[in-house]
Amino acid sequence: MSNTESPSLGARVGGVVSRVYPRLNDDVWLFQRKRHTRAQLHALKQTIDELPTFAKNPDRPVHLIVCAHHGPDAHNWHPGGGNLFFEVYQSAVEILGQENVTLFGVASDESETAWHTRFLNTLGETQATHVIAQIENDPNQPQCWSWDVIASILEQKWDGVLIAMMYDSAFHWLRLRTRRLGKLFSRMLIGDICEPMDDFVRKGQPEVGPITMPWSQASVDAVEAYVAGKPKKFDVTFIGALYDYRAELIEQLRASGFAVAVNPHRADETKTYHESRANQPTYLDYMAGLAQSELTINFSLASGGPHEQYKIRVQEASLVGCICLTDDKERSRLFFKPNEYAYFESIATLNSVVTARLADRDQLRRDQADARIRALDLAKYDFWGRLEDGLVARGLRPLTNMKPPTLPR
């Protein structure tokens, strides 16, 4: 074997160390985070010292701070824009009232110390009782993460609740971050979009997940107005990002004579992941593509690991009267009845599932109508209602007093 073919000395040593000490990378990261947190707490000492004593006013009215993940300066921060944290914010305003909700945004070039200082000042000024944020990275800064600094301060100074949203809990490093937060701040409730998270931080501690994302009434109205009158044009579609494994599965379908329209809401043809993510149409165009589909295919495999996740597309398709075909065996059935979506076990069985659904168009229309009613109910009540159940189960302060819809069993 030539030198160019041999693994490097560093790689060989790293392989040996990882076998002897499998948690090495995790522990190095944790050591670095502890050191950074101590330094940042020192930098914020004056701001921390000036925070009010929240415990003096434990019965203050409910007030929610929404930390925008992308926004409010994002191009899609508007009704029907597809910005999930716009939906969190706007639906919270519709439920709690504008005076009881504060939007907190971070500039993409804002320093860690600057946004931490502003956040703590906002917390004190609003006397907030709850904060909701996607804690997988810093707001509007996908390459940064410093929520452990905030969590350390909250544990010392604040009596409220942090609702910690997660979208990609299949990734090890994101799970590591979330567990650190939960250890630092005891009044943190995880709300995971895709997977169950009970027992994740502490054994026996309930969390929330999977959970359906909220839709504000403003966005429901915008989507309904945009898709109104658009006819069904496609029997079966796939609309979304063409990860390599998805592109291969679609090619397998086509090779077997199965007709599927790929991203028909686009003016161009997409065959690769990068093509499918470039020059994307608007979210309303995406929803119109679903509305014009009788059936649409959803692949549930997580991008960060070989297991299934509950995908928002099931709800999106249902909302505009399209039946979602999914290989998700365990998640979608928690929210939808069997006639309101369709499960396929493998690519080999997909053709028979499609044939059965398209054979009776009258029944298909009834199923689509049922799915839409279910999606509207979920959009309004599931997210906030299930979080409320989670707060109650943990003995934490309630927020909306909403109840989630009765789900299939």
Side-chain angles (χ1 to χ4, degrees):
M1 180 182 289
S2 69
N3 288 338
T4 57
E5 294 172 325
S6 301
S8 69
L9 176 61
R12 294 198 300 272
V13 172
V16 172
V17 171
S18 65
R19 288 193 295 272
V20 176
Y21 189 178
R23 282 187 49 86
L24 175 62
N25 289 335
D26 292 5
D27 288 347
V28 168
W29 175 85
L30 187 59
F31 171 77
Q32 293 172 337
R33 288 311 308 169
K34 287 179 177 178
R35 185 172 60 182
H36 177 83
T37 298
R38 285 194 297 269
Q40 188 65 3
L41 291 177
H42 179 74
L44 293 167
K45 185 178 185 307
Q46 182 176 345
T47 302
I48 296 169
D49 290 343
E50 292 174 354
L51 275 175
T53 304
F54 294 93
K56 290 182 178 179
N57 189 16
D59 298 324
R60 63 192 185 278
V62 161
H63 193 97
L64 173 68
I65 295 177
V66 177
C67 293
H69 183 50
H70 295 299
D73 58 350
H75 72 279
N76 61 348
W77 189 269
H78 56 78
N83 187 312
L84 295 182
F85 256 79
F86 172 85
E87 300 305 325
V88 171
Y89 170 70
Q90 182 60 34
S91 61
V93 168
E94 292 172 0
I95 295 166
L96 297 173
Q98 182 71 70
E99 69 280 7
N100 298 313
V101 183
T102 293
L103 176 63
F104 181 83
V106 175
S108 60
D109 60 350
E110 191 170 3
S111 73
E112 178 182 324
T113 301
W115 84 259
H116 286 177
T117 300
R118 286 198 308 107
F119 175 80
L120 294 172
N121 287 336
T122 302
L123 195 73
E125 291 164 3
T126 62
Q127 288 285 296
T129 57
H130 297 75
V131 172
I132 186 167
Q134 183 183 347
I135 47 74
E136 293 167 327
N137 55 261
D138 286 353
N140 211 30
Q141 298 182 352
Q143 304 307 315
C144 302
W145 186 79
S146 59
W147 279 105
D148 50 352
V149 177
I150 295 292
S152 299
I153 298 168
L154 298 183
E155 183 68 17
Q156 297 174 37
K157 302 287 291 189
W158 188 50
D159 61 350
V161 180
L162 172 63
I163 299 172
M165 296 305 303
M166 296 189 72
Y167 301 157
D168 289 315
S169 56
F171 288 94
H172 171 73
W173 284 105
L174 298 181
R175 295 172 73 88
L176 196 64
R177 291 174 177 180
T178 303
R179 184 174 282 113
R180 172 160 167 76
L181 291 191
K183 296 293 187 181
L184 288 170
F185 185 60
S186 57
R187 292 179 304 284
M188 184 182 87
L189 176 71
I190 299 172
D192 190 284
I193 299 299
C194 304
E195 302 177 38
M197 295 295 285
D198 289 348
D199 305 315
F200 178 71
V201 176
R202 295 176 184 85
K203 186 175 181 180
Q205 179 171 296
E207 310 289 354
V208 177
I211 187 172
T212 296
M213 280 302 301
W215 277 62
S216 64
Q217 189 59 49
S219 287
V220 170
D221 292 344
V223 168
E224 289 184 337
Y226 194 79
V227 307
K230 286 182 167 55
K232 295 289 186 184
K233 294 173 63 176
F234 312 102
D235 279 347
V236 186
T237 62
F238 171 80
I239 300 178
L242 286 171
Y243 297 115
D244 289 345
Y245 86 93
R246 291 176 176 175
E248 291 174 6
L249 292 174
I250 289 169
E251 286 307 310
Q252 290 178 32
L253 286 172
R254 287 173 164 171
S256 65
F258 190 97
V260 54
V262 176
N263 289 326
H265 64 305
R266 298 179 60 116
D268 58 338
E269 182 179 2
T270 57
K271 295 182 179 180
T272 67
Y273 172 78
H274 292 295
E275 289 175 354
S276 69
R277 305 310 290 170
N279 304 314
Q280 291 193 59
T282 68
Y283 186 74
L284 289 176
D285 290 326
Y286 159 74
M287 292 298 290
L290 290 173
Q292 293 185 285
S293 308
E294 299 282 12
L295 311 169
T296 196
I297 299 171
N298 170 69
F299 297 115
S300 64
L301 185 66
S303 57
H307 55 280
E308 69 180 35
Q309 294 180 317
Y310 176 61
K311 300 291 187 178
I312 296 174
R313 181 164 295 117
V314 183
Q315 181 191 10
E316 292 170 325
S318 301
L319 196 68
V320 290
C322 171
I323 294 296
C324 196
L325 313 171
T326 181
D327 56 356
D328 153 19
K329 187 175 183 180
E330 299 298 331
R331 309 290 185 228
S332 294
R333 68 183 180 86
L334 301 176
F335 301 94
F336 292 88
K337 290 183 177 180
N339 72 306
E340 296 166 351
Y341 75 105
Y343 167 70
F344 63 92
E345 185 175 10
S346 66
I347 290 296
T349 64
L350 185 54
N351 203 345
S352 61
V353 173
V354 170
T355 300
R357 282 303 180 109
L358 295 178
D360 187 341
R361 299 282 175 151
D362 290 337
Q363 182 60 50
L364 179 61
R365 292 287 174 267
R366 290 191 290 271
D367 293 342
Q368 290 168 339
D370 287 348
R372 183 174 179 278
I373 292 170
R374 176 80 59 181
L376 286 168
D377 200 33
L378 290 169
K380 187 171 184 179
Y381 297 108
D382 187 73
F383 180 82
W384 294 111
R386 285 163 64 80
L387 287 177
E388 193 74 1
D389 281 356
L391 293 170
V392 172
R394 287 277 297 281
L396 301 171
R397 181 168 180 174
L399 176 61
T400 62
N401 294 316
M402 291 186 72
K403 293 292 183 184
T406 301
L407 300 179
R409 289 289 182 263

